Amino acid sequence: MKKIGLFGGTFDPVHNGHMAVAKAALEQLALDTLYFIPAAEPPHKSSRFITSFAHRVAMLRLALQGEPRYIVSDIEGLRRGPSYTIDTLAQFRRKLGREADLFFIIGLDAFADITSWKCYRELLQGSSFVVIDRPTHGHHVLSEVIAGNFPDYRETGAGIWSRKGGKSILALSMEPVAVSSSLVRERLRQGSPVEKLIPPAVVRYLRSERLYGEMGR
């Protein structure tokens, strides 16, 4: 059975933190393939302008070139309406079949807000969840979120929560990377350098397309 990672997000723009998460997931979970899934209409981010889906897909493809196990999926761009994770997981399950073991990658800060997600209790029926540590959260936060929202899950190993007949919740440990998409956008608006925050090919694309306001030099 192939192990398939699903890494969703806005990726506005993709940055070195995303790349570090992907590398850690690929190595620690021994994934065969890792799909990057940009959200077309993020349900939790509708209040601010989001860069066009086409631009975000293009930046991801540039950032991921050279790693054959990385794939950019436009699956959410082909659907109408909000990009709900429950719908995306269902599509991947139909596409890949039962021969694929799915691992959905999510930040601990987002997982702590999981009750606001559509059909959140059903998400673990089709995919294990891989929860990334965040500097502002800790192992106890993950334990509390699981106990409060998935009471049938028990810690069965170091950073592994399971239930009989179901998928698992896994903690992904990695060194924090001090970068976020909002930080990159703000630095670009200010004309500050971003070369150490995002892949070089993405920097060139931003400059050629004049995205996010003034470009740092």
Side-chain angles (χ1 to χ4, degrees):
M1 179 175 288
K2 290 188 175 182
K3 300 177 71 174
I4 307 297
L6 306 176
F7 188 11
T10 311
F11 301 110
D12 191 15
V14 57
H15 54 66
N16 292 342
H18 295 131
M19 303 304 294
V21 167
K23 185 174 185 292
L26 208 65
E27 294 176 351
Q28 294 184 36
L29 301 173
L31 298 175
D32 293 288
T33 303
L34 177 57
Y35 286 87
F36 283 70
I37 311 169
E41 297 183 31
H44 295 87
K45 296 185 179 181
S46 58
S47 61
R48 75 161 181 85
F49 173 77
I50 298 173
T51 305
S52 77
F53 185 75
H55 277 314
R56 290 183 285 121
V57 167
M59 288 187 284
L60 275 169
R61 287 178 173 153
L62 288 170
L64 305 181
Q65 58 189 352
E67 174 48 81
R69 289 175 293 178
Y70 291 156
I71 298 176
V72 181
S73 171
D74 62 356
I75 195 169
E76 295 190 349
L78 300 176
R79 289 202 314 259
R80 293 184 178 181
S83 302
Y84 291 119
T85 298
I86 190 69
D87 299 329
T88 298
L89 290 180
Q91 281 189 268
F92 267 97
R93 176 55 63 199
R94 290 194 296 269
K95 174 183 177 181
L96 301 176
R98 295 187 178 183
E99 294 304 310
D101 193 8
L102 303 183
F103 296 82
F104 184 80
I105 300 166
I106 181 175
L108 180 50
D109 47 355
F111 189 68
D113 192 40
I114 196 68
T115 57
S116 68
W117 292 35
K118 180 182 177 182
C119 304
Y120 78 95
R121 293 188 184 278
E122 299 175 20
L123 293 172
L124 281 159
Q125 293 178 8
S127 172
S128 293
F129 263 45
V130 180
V131 185
I132 310 158
D133 289 337
R134 285 288 188 261
T136 54
H137 295 69
H139 184 80
H140 70 283
V141 176
L142 178 53
S143 297
E144 291 169 1
V145 173
I146 293 172
N149 301 298
F150 303 98
D152 51 343
Y153 275 76
R154 298 289 182 270
E155 192 164 8
T156 55
I160 303 174
W161 287 260
S162 305
R163 68 176 176 84
K164 186 176 181 179
K167 297 294 184 177
S168 298
I169 301 172
L170 313 170
L172 181 70
S173 298
M174 59 175 288
E175 290 295 322
V177 179
V179 60
S180 65
S181 293
S182 59
L183 172 64
V184 172
R185 293 193 302 271
E186 182 59 28
R187 289 183 67 84
L188 289 169
R189 283 192 290 267
Q190 294 174 351
S192 301
V194 295
E195 283 78 0
K196 294 183 179 181
L197 305 179
I198 56 181
V202 177
V203 174
R204 293 191 291 271
Y205 184 87
L206 292 174
R207 289 201 170 120
S208 67
E209 298 296 329
R210 303 185 64 82
L211 299 179
Y212 307 110
E214 294 297 322
M215 289 297 306
R217 297 290 179 185

